[in-house]
Amino acid sequence: MKPIVYTLLFWILTYTVYAFPIPPCPLRQLIINSEYCIAGKVLDIKTKQEYIQPLDDKKADGFTRTDYFAQVLITEVFKGSKHAQDTISISFNPNMVCPGPDVYNKDTEVITFLDQSSTDTLFRTHSLSYGVKTISNAQEMQWYKTLIRQMQIILTYPNVVQRQQETIEWLVRCAENYKTRWDGIYELKQGSEFMVAYNMTPLLEVQRNERGLNSIQKQRLYNYFVQTNISTLSYWDFTLLELALESDKKKIKELLKKYISKIAYSSEVALYVMNYYGTLINNKHLYITSDEFQEALSATNHNPEKASLIWNTFVAQVQNTP
C-alpha cells in the first residue's frame, strides 16, 4: 500500500466520528449536559507531535500528527468538582474541518463546558465549537455568568410548569442579547426539543392559553428585531420574527418591505431574506432566483454585477407586492 493510502486510512479510522455534524447544542443544553462548567483564562497552548507509522509497510513514509492542549487557569466553577485557581489541560483539535472545532487561544478569557475522560486526566470540550465561549470583555463575561446561574436555579424548581415557563423567559433574555441570540432562538422555535416537550406537558385548563411566548415577550422580541441593524440578522432571526408576530404573513411582509432596501446584496443576510420571502409567499420562481443569486455570489462564479442586478430586482418586487 502507498503512504497516502495509510494516511487516509488512519484519518478515517481515527476521526470517523468527526465526519458527521454534531447536533447543535445551545447554552441551556450545555449547562445541563456537560460534566463541568467553568470560567477561566488560557495560560498557554502546548503541542505534542507523534509520528504515525504505516500499518504494515515499515519502509513507507508515515506522517506526523500534532495534538493541542490548552492550559487553563480556572477563575470560577459553576459545575463540577474542580476549584478556582486549579489549572487543567484541555485537549482540542483546531484543524478539524467538520464539525466546527473547539478553539482555545493563549491569554484569552473563556467560559467553557467540559467532560473528562475516565481513562486520563485530560478534559475535552462538550459539543466542540458550541462548548467554548471566548470572552471579549468584562460585560460579556458577566452576562454569561448570570445566565448560567439563573438556569441552574430554574432547573431546581420542582413544579414542571413553573420551570418551563421560567425557561421560556430565560430563552427570551438570551435572544435579546447579540452574543446569546442564537441560543435563545434555536430553542424557542416551533419544533425544537424544548418546545415540543413544553407543549406536551399537561397543564390546567386555565393555563392552556399561556403556552409559549406571552404578549409582552413577543413585543420584546419584535422590538429587538426592528431595533437591530438588519444587515447583522440571520435566518434564525426571521424564524423568531414569526413567533413574535404569530406567523402573521401580512405583518411580516410589511416589515420586510420597510427594511429590505437597507440590506446590501453582498451581506450574509441577503440570501436568507430571499429564501425566506420565497417561502413566505410560496413563490417557486424565487427559489430559482435565489439559486442564481447564490451562484453569482460564489467564489467560483463570482459575478457581483449579476448578483447586484438580481438583488435590486428582488427588492423592487418585494416593495411592489401588495
Side-chain angles (χ1 to χ4, degrees):
M1 296 176 69
K2 296 181 178 180
I4 187 63
V5 176
Y6 289 116
T7 302
L8 290 173
L9 182 59
F10 173 84
W11 287 111
I12 290 172
L13 293 174
T14 306
Y15 294 101
T16 297
V17 65
Y18 298 141
F20 303 97
I22 60 173
C25 194
L27 184 60
R28 184 186 69 92
Q29 294 182 25
L30 288 169
I31 295 169
I32 295 172
N33 297 323
S34 62
E35 294 180 38
Y36 294 84
C37 175
I38 66 163
K41 181 176 181 179
V42 182
L43 301 177
D44 199 7
I45 303 296
K46 297 184 180 298
T47 59
K48 175 184 176 183
Q49 291 188 329
E50 179 182 3
Y51 178 76
I52 306 301
Q53 183 71 34
L55 298 179
D56 58 8
D57 187 351
K58 302 299 183 182
K59 296 181 180 179
D61 290 334
F63 66 99
T64 300
R65 182 187 70 191
T66 303
D67 294 325
Y68 295 80
F69 307 91
Q71 308 301 311
V72 177
L73 173 67
I74 298 176
T75 56
E76 191 165 348
V77 179
F78 305 100
K79 183 179 182 182
S81 58
K82 304 304 289 184
H83 303 282
Q85 302 309 309
D86 283 352
T87 300
I88 60 174
S89 183
I90 304 173
S91 175
F92 70 106
N93 179 7
N95 299 317
M96 190 185 304
V97 177
C98 181
D102 49 333
V103 176
Y104 294 84
N105 294 298
K106 186 178 179 180
D107 296 328
T108 58
E109 302 282 343
V110 294
I111 293 281
T112 184
F113 301 85
L114 303 166
D115 298 318
Q116 187 172 25
S117 170
S118 59
T119 59
D120 57 42
T121 60
L122 291 174
F123 290 82
R124 292 174 177 80
T125 312
H126 187 87
S127 292
L128 299 175
S129 60
Y130 295 103
V132 56
K133 317 295 182 182
T134 299
I135 306 300
S136 57
N137 54 57
Q139 183 180 8
E140 187 178 321
M141 177 66 82
Q142 187 57 48
W143 175 244
Y144 273 108
K145 288 181 178 182
T146 299
L147 287 176
I148 292 168
R149 294 191 188 105
Q150 288 175 343
M151 178 48 58
Q152 289 177 322
I153 293 173
I154 291 171
L155 290 170
T156 66
Y157 293 163
N159 183 284
V160 175
V161 175
Q162 180 191 14
R163 187 166 67 243
Q164 291 186 323
Q165 290 179 333
E166 288 293 331
T167 298
I168 285 181
E169 171 59 26
W170 184 87
L171 291 171
V172 170
R173 289 198 296 272
C174 285
E176 291 177 305
N177 185 286
Y178 176 78
K179 293 300 295 187
T180 54
R181 184 169 66 187
W182 174 83
D183 298 278
I185 293 172
Y186 183 80
E187 295 217 277
L188 284 172
K189 67 182 178 68
Q190 294 300 320
S192 71
E193 179 181 331
F194 171 75
M195 291 307 294
V196 168
Y198 177 74
N199 288 323
M200 292 179 66
T201 301
L203 297 174
L204 297 175
E205 191 64 34
V206 70
Q207 297 170 314
R208 291 191 181 278
N209 294 327
E210 300 175 5
R211 285 192 182 276
L213 298 168
N214 61 40
S215 59
I216 296 175
Q217 291 166 336
K218 290 176 182 178
Q219 186 62 48
R220 284 162 54 193
L221 294 176
Y222 176 81
N223 292 342
Y224 165 80
F225 185 95
V226 298
Q227 293 169 9
T228 301
N229 184 340
I230 197 166
S231 65
T232 69
L233 299 175
S234 72
Y235 164 80
W236 294 103
D237 297 290
F238 289 97
T239 298
L240 192 58
L241 182 62
E242 288 188 334
L243 294 176
L245 294 179
E246 299 179 330
S247 299
D248 187 324
K249 292 184 178 181
K250 182 179 179 180
K251 290 182 180 179
I252 295 173
K253 285 195 291 185
E254 288 175 355
L255 192 63
L256 284 178
K257 287 171 70 173
K258 181 179 180 180
Y259 286 96
I260 196 167
S261 62
K262 299 181 181 181
I263 302 175
Y265 81 89
S266 57
S267 68
E268 292 184 3
V269 77
L271 182 61
Y272 284 127
V273 172
M274 191 175 290
N275 282 314
Y276 177 83
Y277 192 75
T279 302
L280 186 68
I281 65 174
N282 194 25
N283 188 322
K284 295 182 179 179
H285 174 71
L286 271 181
Y287 301 150
I288 300 173
T289 301
S290 64
D291 288 342
E292 295 175 351
F293 181 63
Q294 184 174 18
E295 182 179 356
L297 289 173
S298 68
T300 53
N301 299 295
H302 188 58
N303 190 336
E305 293 81 10
K306 182 178 179 180
S308 179
L309 177 61
I310 293 174
W311 178 252
N312 291 333
T313 302
F314 167 68
V315 170
Q317 179 181 348
V318 171
Q319 293 177 326
N320 294 326
T321 300

